[in-house]
C-alpha cells in the first residue's frame, strides 16, 4: 500500500442509487410489434451532454486497442471482503420447457446500484490499491469495442489512485437490447423504443434472478453493506466480493485493482461441491404477428436462438461474461423469457419463462469470441492513459455509433448541480 494517497475523491455527483424494481413497462395498449428500421434511421442519443467547458485530453480509437493483450494472473487474485446473503438456485427451473412454461412473477426485493466512491467498504479498502471500480464499470470498459450505444464513466484522479464511477442519474445500469443487430429496434419511436425495451429487459432480469431461487441462504459474516433496516423491502439475493487484482504489464508499473464484484446465487454440484452462479435473462420482444418464435423453436433449436442472441446482443453478453469472470463465478445461467399475449384488451402484457441454459463463464467467453487477455489489455491501456492525467475529475465518453473513446477534463462540480436540482424538486413534492 506504499505510495497510495490517503485522500478520498469528491463524490461523483449523486446519491446512493437504490432501485426497488422496474415496474412492468408493458402496460395495456402500450406496445405493438411493428418492424424496426435500419440502423441509419434510428436516432441514437448521447449518454451525456459534452459541455463547452470540458477539455478534451485523450482520444482512443477502437482500432488502437483491438490487439492489446495482457495475461491475466488469476492465481494472484485475493478476496479481501465477502458480504451479503446468497440463496440457492432452484434446479426445478432447469426442467422448464416451452410445453411447461412458467409465468414470470414480480419481486418486491430491492436492487442496489451503488457506485464506487459511495461504497463504504471500498472506503475501508482505500489503502489496499491504486485503481477502484465495480464489476459493471470494468466490464463496460473491457468490452468497449463491442459497444454501439453511448455511455460515460466518471474518472477521478486523486494522488496515485484512480476511481471509476458512474453517474447516479444515468442509464448506465439499464440493459441494452439488440445493440449489435444489423437493424436496431426503436426506429418507429413507439412502444418498442430503445428506452422502453431497456426498461423491459432490466425488469425481466431483476425478476428472473430472484424467482428462480430457493429461500435457503448462505449468509456471510458481514451483511449487505447497502441494506437499510428502515427499508420496507428486503434486498435481493447477492454476495459482494471485494477482490484485489494485480494489473501487470510488460515494462509497466505494477498496479493493484480493487473491484467490487457481484454473485447472484449458489448451487451444489452432483458431488456436493458449492458453486457460485450469476443469473441473467435473454428476452424475446419482437413477436412476428403476435407469435413467439422461441415458443416454437427453443426446445429443438436452442443453438440457433442462442446464435442469434450472440449476434444481436454481442456487447451485453460479453459484459455479463466479463462480470462473471471478475467475480470468480463458476457458472453463468441464462433464462429464456418471452412476452405473453393478454387474454383480453384490458390486461397488461406479461412474460413467460420458456427454458434455461447453463455455461462455464470462461468456456462461454470462447464461444462468443471474447478474448479475456485482450479485455485485460484494453483495461490496462485505459488505466495507463488515465494515470498520466493530473489530479482532477474526468469523463470517459463513448460517442453513439462510433468506435472511439474520449476523455474530457471537467470542472470538479460537474453533475453536482444536476443532483442539487433534483433534490430540490423532490423536496418540493
Amino acid at each position: 500500500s506504499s505510495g497510495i494517497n490517503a485522500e478520498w475523491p469528491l463524490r461523483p455527483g449523486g446519491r446512493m442509487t437504490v432501485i426497488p424494481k422496474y415496474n412492468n413497462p408493458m402496460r395495456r395498449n402500450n406496445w405493438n410489434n411493428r418492424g424496426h428500421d435500419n440502423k441509419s434511421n434510428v436516432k441514437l442519443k448521447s449518454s451525456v451532454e459534452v459541455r463547452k467547458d470540458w477539455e478534451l485530453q485523450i482520444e482512443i480509437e477502437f482500432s488502437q486497442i483491438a490487439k492489446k493483450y495482457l495475461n491475466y494472473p488469476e492465481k494472484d487474485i485475493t478476496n479481501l471482503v465477502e458480504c451479503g446473503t446468497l440463496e440457492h438456485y432452484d434446479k426445478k427451473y432447469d426442467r422448464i420447457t416451452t410445453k411447461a412454461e412458467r409465468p414470470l412473477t414480480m419481486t418486491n426485493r430491492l436492487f442496489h446500484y451503488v457506485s464506487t466512491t459511495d461504497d463504504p467498504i471500498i472506503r475501508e479498502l482505500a489503502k489496499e490499491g491504486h485503481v477502484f471500480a465495480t464489476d459493471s464499470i470494468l466490464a463496460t470498459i473491457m468490452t468497449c469495442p463491442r459497444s454501439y450505444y453511448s455511455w460515460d464513466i466518471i474518472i477521478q484522479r486523486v494522488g496515485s489512485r484512480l476511481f471509476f464511477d458512474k453517474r447516479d442519474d444515468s442509464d448506465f445500469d439499464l440493459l441494452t437490447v439488440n445493440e449489435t443487430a444489423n437493424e436496431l429496434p426503436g426506429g418507429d419511436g413507439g412502444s418498442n423504443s430503445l428506452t422502453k425495451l431497456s426498461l423491459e429487459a432490466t425488469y425481466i432480469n431483476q425478476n428472473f434472478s430472484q424467482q428462480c431461487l430457493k429461500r435457503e441462504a448462505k449468509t456471510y459474516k458481514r451483511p449487505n453493506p447497502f441494506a437499510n433496516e428502515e427499508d420496507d423491502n428486503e434486498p435481493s439475493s447477492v454476495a459482494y466480493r471485494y477482490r484485489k487484482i494485480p494489473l501487470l504489464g510488460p515494462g509497466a508499473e505494477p498496479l493493484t485493482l480493487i473491484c467490487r464484484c457481484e454473485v447472484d446465487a449458489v448451487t451444489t454440484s452432483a458431488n456436493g461441491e458449492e458453486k457460485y452462479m450469476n443469473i441473467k435473462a435473454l428476452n424475446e420482444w419482437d413477436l412476428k404477428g403476435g407469435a413467439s418464435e422461441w415458443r416454437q423453436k427453443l426446445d429443438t433449436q436452442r443453438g440457433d436462438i442462442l446464435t442469434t442472441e450472440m449476434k444481436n446482443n454481442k456487447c451485453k453478453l460479453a459484459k455479463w461474461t466479463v462480470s462473471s469472470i471478475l467475480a470468480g463465478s463458476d457458472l453463468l445461467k441464462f433464462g429464456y423469457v418471452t412476452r405473453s399475449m393478454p387474454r383480453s384488451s384490458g390486461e397488461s402484457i406479461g412474460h413467460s419463462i420458456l427454458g434455461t441454459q447453463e455455461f462455464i463463464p470462461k468456456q462461454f467467453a470462447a464461444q462468443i469470441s471474447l478474448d479475456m487477455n485482450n479485455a485485460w489489455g484494453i483495461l490496462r491501456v485505459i488505466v495507463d492513459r488515465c494515470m498520466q492525467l493530473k489530479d482532477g475529475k474526468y469523463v470517459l465518453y463513448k460517442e453513439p455509433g462510433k468506435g472511439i473513446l474520449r476523455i474530457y477534463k471537467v470542472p470538479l462540480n460537474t453533475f453536482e448541480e444536476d443532483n442539487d436540482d433534483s433534490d430540490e424538486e423532490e423536496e418540493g413534492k
Side-chain angles (χ1 to χ4, degrees), residues 54-190:
W54 292 13
E55 300 171 17
L56 181 62
Q57 305 289 305
I58 297 170
E59 283 191 344
I60 302 173
E61 294 185 11
F62 287 168
S63 57
Q64 295 174 272
I65 52 179
K67 299 217 168 130
K68 297 291 183 183
Y69 297 96
L70 179 65
N71 289 329
Y72 172 45
E74 188 176 3
K75 64 179 184 343
D76 296 328
I77 292 177
T78 53
N79 293 320
L80 299 177
V81 176
E82 292 181 298
C83 53
T85 300
L86 269 188
E87 292 179 349
H88 283 256
Y89 176 72
D90 190 342
K91 294 179 181 178
K92 70 185 178 189
Y93 278 80
D94 291 337
R95 298 195 291 271
I96 292 176
T97 66
T98 58
K99 306 249 182 336
E101 64 182 63
R102 184 175 291 231
L104 185 74
T105 58
M106 184 184 290
T107 181
N108 286 316
R109 291 180 162 185
L110 292 173
F111 296 85
H112 297 88
Y113 298 98
V114 180
S115 196
T116 311
T117 52
D118 282 334
D119 186 327
I121 294 181
I122 284 186
R123 286 174 180 263
E124 285 178 28
L125 303 174
K127 294 185 179 180
E128 295 283 345
H130 304 91
V131 183
F132 300 80
T134 65
D135 54 358
S136 60
I137 290 173
L138 291 184
T140 299
I141 295 171
M142 293 168 77
T143 63
C144 65
R146 295 176 178 235
S147 61
Y148 191 76
Y149 296 154
S150 179
W151 48 266
D152 62 275
I153 290 168
I154 296 171
I155 302 167
Q156 295 191 76
R157 177 76 200 267
V158 182
S160 60
R161 295 180 296 169
L162 280 178
F163 295 85
F164 290 90
D165 269 303
K166 63 184 176 67
R167 290 182 297 111
D168 284 351
D169 60 347
S170 72
D171 290 339
F172 189 86
D173 294 304
L174 290 180
L175 298 174
T176 62
V177 176
N178 280 34
E179 179 177 358
T180 52
N182 290 333
E183 293 182 346
L184 291 180
D188 56 18

Side-chain angles (χ1 to χ4, degrees), residues 16 18 110 112 223-235:
M16 182 182 292
V18 181
L110 292 173
H112 297 88
N224 184 323
F226 315 121
N228 190 327
E229 291 180 1
E230 297 175 3
D231 291 332
D232 292 332
N233 303 93
E234 65 178 353

Side-chain angles (χ1 to χ4, degrees), residues 278-295:
N278 281 56
I279 301 171
K280 305 296 177 185
L282 300 166
N283 64 293
E284 182 187 34
W285 57 273
D286 193 9
L287 308 189
K288 307 291 192 296
S292 164
E293 184 181 7
W294 287 12
R295 275 194 175 91

Side-chain angles (χ1 to χ4, degrees), residues 148 339 386:
Y148 191 76
R339 289 178 177 175
C386 292

